[in-house]
Amino acid sequence: MINKRLLIKNLLSHNDESSFYDKKRQLNLHTKEGKAKFIKHICALSNSNPSNNSYIVVGVEDESNEIVGDDFFDDSRIQNLVNAYLVNPPKIQYDNIPFPHLPKDKVVGLVTIRPNSKVASFKKNIYTIPAQTTFVRIGSNSVPTTQKIGHSKANVETVISLENNARNNIEHTLSAVLDFYTVRHADMTSHHQVFKEQFVICWVGIPKLIRGETYLRRVDVEFVSEQVKLFYSNQDWVSISWDDDTFTLIEYVPLGLNDKTSLYPLEEVTLRFFDNGYYKMENHFLFEPPAYNKKMLHHIYNAMLALGKRLQNGQTLQPRDRQDLEHFSSTLMICFLNGFPEAKQKLIDAKPFLKALDIPGVYQSFKDAMRVLRKMKYDHLV
């Protein structure tokens, strides 16, 4: 079992960007340009490494190699994004890796690209990349090619060595559990569960009973055996359950209008453990958006557009405006899901203005709304 924090350290300390490894300060999957760049690197790394894993590390300064972290990224549909644009797409996995010196809400992202013996190429246009383009890695660059693709056999030995040097052991596991209990969450009651005598999950959250059901806030869930953060949020509502073979987390989204909100199941994540030392993660998208009266929504939508225009024009915001901005993103998302197709783009256009506000939670609400819409898109629901 690989300790993925150690693997990242090994990648950063022993290698500059190469034909099997890339690093990024952050990912931007909100735009066509950002998606195109990400998929280009996936394509190039897959084609250049048909016999070994390749990696992208997210949350690292390019010049200094400093680990600065990035936001927790829980988009389990990232594979669907790659599948949508590539012929012969590789299998990829995105993990959030906590580092002790980073704030609780920051992690380092690790994209693992599994070997694929077939050549990957773009099957449709995106941004400036035309269909049928194929990329490879030459040094630290992802470049288009029309030539027969070769690969370095030295990469196989190098990657195997890096992964072997990152194998987990009992000392790493115990240290991580103690750190979770006594350092990062000393002010809360932590829990842990051991599965099949070798897999350890720790979690913490503030419980609240709603209509006979127990939900958790300020949730942090970590798959300690691999140093992977499974879930982190100060805002979202979560339920957790487990048995001898599985650990299940269900995330809920609070949505509503006029200060009346309800909890809607968003996604169920289940870790299933086996006696042979194998485990797999299963994701089930559960979200069914609330439906509202179209006439009422039209009035609310126009009010949100007017608020967005005042924000973008730099007008002085009234106390009521600041209060409405707390629900701005979720309201536009509700409008989009109820037949206002331009509402999504209006929300995206407001991003820089929401980010610049000093109102707590407003920008986080934007990111939460975009995450839900992204998940729905790659489940072909919107």
Side-chain angles (χ1 to χ4, degrees):
M1 192 177 301
I2 293 179
N3 182 314
K4 294 183 178 177
R5 184 189 296 166
L6 281 180
L7 178 59
I8 290 172
K9 288 181 177 179
N10 290 342
L11 287 167
L12 294 178
S13 62
H14 296 299
N15 298 277
D16 198 357
E17 292 176 314
S18 67
S19 55
F20 66 85
Y21 155 62
D22 197 7
K23 61 186 176 185
K24 300 293 176 190
R25 174 60 184 85
Q26 61 184 13
L27 294 183
N28 177 13
L29 300 183
H30 294 318
T31 66
K32 287 288 186 183
E33 180 182 6
K35 290 175 183 176
K37 288 181 178 179
F38 174 70
I39 300 168
K40 176 184 73 173
H41 294 311
I42 294 290
C43 179
L45 287 165
S46 176
N47 287 333
S48 299
N49 296 277
S51 302
N52 58 270
N53 290 337
S54 47
Y55 297 97
I56 300 175
V57 179
V58 183
V60 178
E61 291 288 0
D62 191 36
E63 296 296 328
S64 65
N65 232 26
E66 180 186 1
I67 297 174
V68 294
D70 197 8
D71 290 340
F72 181 87
F73 185 80
D74 70 338
D75 195 341
S76 59
R77 299 310 186 269
I78 199 168
Q79 178 74 58
N80 294 3
L81 171 63
V82 174
N83 292 350
Y85 285 96
L86 291 185
V87 177
N88 299 322
K91 295 292 185 183
I92 65 171
Q93 180 176 335
Y94 192 105
D95 291 309
N96 297 278
I97 315 301
F99 275 73
H101 73 280
L102 295 177
K104 289 181 181 180
D105 61 337
K106 297 294 181 183
V107 294
V108 175
L110 179 66
V111 182
T112 303
I113 302 147
R114 307 293 182 191
N116 188 348
S117 59
K118 297 181 180 180
V119 176
S121 61
F122 280 75
K123 61 184 176 184
K124 58 183 178 180
N125 302 340
I126 179 173
Y127 196 54
T128 59
I129 301 174
Q132 301 182 347
T133 305
T134 296
F135 288 88
V136 295
R137 294 285 286 190
I138 297 180
S140 61
N141 297 314
S142 298
V143 298
T145 183
T146 57
Q147 306 297 317
K148 183 178 179 180
I149 296 176
H151 65 279
S152 171
K153 294 182 179 179
N155 280 2
V156 178
E157 296 181 1
T158 302
V159 172
I160 289 175
S161 176
L162 286 168
E163 292 174 343
N164 285 339
N165 288 330
R167 295 291 172 185
N168 210 2
N169 58 44
I170 189 66
E171 179 183 359
H172 294 146
T173 301
L174 286 175
S175 296
V177 172
L178 288 172
D179 180 72
F180 191 93
Y181 269 77
T182 63
V183 179
R184 282 183 289 137
H185 300 294
D187 60 332
M188 302 172 69
T189 301
S190 297
H191 309 270
H192 75 275
Q193 187 69 24
V194 180
F195 299 88
K196 305 300 181 182
E197 300 181 329
Q198 59 178 317
F199 303 103
V200 183
I201 293 181
C202 291
W203 71 94
V204 68
I206 298 176
K208 184 171 182 178
L209 193 65
I210 301 177
R211 301 186 185 94
E213 297 288 337
T214 299
Y215 301 92
L216 301 176
R217 300 294 306 275
R218 290 181 58 192
V219 178
D220 191 357
V221 183
E222 208 168 287
F223 186 12
V224 173
S225 310
E226 292 200 352
Q227 295 291 314
V228 171
K229 192 182 287 286
L230 293 175
F231 187 88
Y232 179 84
S233 176
N234 275 327
Q235 306 295 328
D236 294 333
W237 297 83
V238 168
S239 66
I240 288 175
S241 61
W242 66 93
D243 56 29
D244 290 343
D245 303 315
T246 61
F247 179 89
T248 299
L249 180 150
I250 300 177
E251 178 188 357
Y252 298 81
V253 178
L255 285 177
L257 299 172
N258 301 322
D259 299 325
K260 295 179 180 179
T261 61
S262 298
L263 296 180
Y264 295 85
L266 177 63
E267 187 171 29
E268 179 183 78
V269 178
T270 298
L271 276 173
R272 193 173 302 277
F273 304 100
F274 300 89
D275 292 323
N276 62 359
Y278 172 74
Y279 76 91
K280 66 177 180 179
M281 184 180 296
E282 302 167 350
N283 297 81
H284 299 288
F285 196 66
L286 308 175
F287 187 58
E288 295 184 6
Y292 290 93
N293 178 274
K294 198 76 172 282
K295 187 175 181 180
M296 178 190 70
L297 269 185
H298 190 78
H299 173 75
I300 294 174
Y301 178 59
N302 285 335
M304 290 298 104
L305 292 184
L307 175 58
K309 186 170 292 187
R310 290 197 295 275
L311 180 66
Q312 295 181 31
N313 290 339
Q315 295 178 232
T316 301
L317 298 175
Q318 301 302 316
R320 180 64 191 182
D321 291 335
R322 297 176 67 86
Q323 182 179 342
D324 287 342
L325 280 168
E326 296 177 10
H327 308 286
F328 179 82
S329 297
S330 61
T331 301
L332 283 183
M333 180 177 71
I334 288 173
C335 290
F336 173 73
L337 297 174
N338 280 266
F340 293 78
E342 68 281 5
K344 181 178 178 181
Q345 189 58 48
K346 295 293 184 182
L347 177 58
I348 294 172
D349 293 343
K351 175 185 176 180
F353 306 98
L354 297 173
K355 189 174 183 179
L357 288 172
D358 61 352
I359 306 174
V362 168
Y363 184 58
Q364 182 61 48
S365 177
F366 166 83
K367 292 192 291 184
D368 289 343
M370 293 305 302
R371 177 168 55 91
V372 173
L373 292 174
R374 190 167 59 246
K375 284 176 181 285
M376 294 184 72
K377 178 177 180 179
Y378 293 111
D379 267 84
H380 309 292
L381 298 177
V382 300

